[in-house]
Amino acid sequence: MKSQPDDQPHSAKPVAEVREGDAYDLMAKLAPDSVDLIITSPPYWGLRTYGQDHNEDVLAEWEAQGGSKEQTPPYDWYRHNGGCLGLEPLPEWYVDHLVEIFQRGASALKAEGSIWINVGDTYFARWSSIRMNGRQGLGDNPRMRRKTPMGGFRQEKQLLLIPARFAIAMQSQRWILRNDLIWEKRNVPPRPEKDRLRLAHEHFYHFVKRPKEGRAKYYYDMKAVEEGARDVVSVNVRAGSDGHSATFPPQLIRPRIVSSCREGGLVLDPFCGTGRSLTVALDSGRQAIGFEMSPTFAAAARDNIAEIQGSFDI
């Protein structure tokens, strides 16, 4: 679609901040119509703990209170009973919780705003290994074993299609899915499996708000995307930083920020980790806010932001 005119005042020196806490709480505290772009890579399901504690008996406790596996508990109940986002006992719970959290920020996103969400997939195993930091089944870092209930699409060796389930769940909440960008990762490490191809891509979804009437209209600068404007981009995986194992390469983030947020606009990453998206936003002339639960990662994000902001004075 044709981009909107750039009529917002620009800040000579963009600023960023990191707010420590759960995105569920912090989303609801944002001012209405204040955010131009939400861009993030949430914790993936069933891969790592990110240093968070998790109650492995949360499903039994939910059932003891009259719940069932088929009924996802509200995220607020789940977390207050020791649950950690990304370690839900069932992938269905994870999808529902993600959508619930993003819905909390819907009013803060401007009518012409966008959401870009990178969601990873995984294979089901009744007995799975959860790494403290690294990816499932890889690396020498500590891990824990847990049993996941089987049933329905939850079958051994099944690719769970978590990104697709998430996208459909968002659509059911009136979000318009504009693109399913495929991130091709040509440098993924070898895998021990001998009966399937390596999982070498991830999904990066672009959502916009559904208007009360008519077609969706939103800010988008086609000149800022990759050459060829294709929905498949090849960006090598980069190592995590500051003790955080997750990757979110700047070469993947920057075109999304520059194309979907005006210069001087506000970029929000509700799962900012060590702040890579925040530093890219700053370097691109945008304001930025990040949410992070881990005090360690929040401190690292602030240091990385300070380094970028310090370069403005050179």
Side-chain angles (χ1 to χ4, degrees), residues 46-51 128-145 189 191 239-240 243-246 297:
L47 294 185
R48 56 177 81 91
T49 68
Y50 300 93
S128 60
S129 61
I130 309 296
R131 298 283 172 174
M132 301 300 105
N133 291 298
R135 286 187 177 275
Q136 183 185 41
L138 295 176
D140 296 326
N141 44 49
R143 66 178 180 177
M144 65 179 184
R145 304 282 292 184
R191 293 286 309 189
H244 199 294
S245 60
F297 295 148

Side-chain angles (χ1 to χ4, degrees), residues 45 56 59-60 63 69-70 88-93 124-128 146-156 160:
W45 181 76
E56 287 299 328
L59 174 57
E63 291 177 327
K69 293 191 294 291
E70 293 73 25
E88 285 85 349
L90 302 168
E92 302 97 307
W93 288 20
F124 182 85
R126 189 176 189 185
W127 283 98
S128 60
R146 72 167 184 176
K147 186 177 181 181
T148 306
M150 293 182 65
F153 69 91
R154 286 175 271 105
Q155 300 295 326
E156 292 283 0
L160 291 171

Side-chain angles (χ1 to χ4, degrees), residues 85-116:
L85 183 68
L87 293 178
E88 285 85 349
L90 302 168
E92 302 97 307
W93 288 20
Y94 166 74
V95 168
D96 289 343
H97 288 160
L98 266 189
V99 173
E100 187 180 354
I101 290 170
F102 284 114
Q103 284 297 104
R104 299 268 288 182
S107 64
L109 187 68
K110 295 178 181 179
E112 69 273 18
S114 289
I115 299 182
W116 280 94

Side-chain angles (χ1 to χ4, degrees), residues 14-18 278-279 282 286-290 305 309:
V15 296
E17 65 172 302
V18 177
L278 308 183
T279 59
L282 279 178
R286 278 75 179 165
Q287 317 295 325
I289 295 176
I305 287 169
Q309 290 180 323

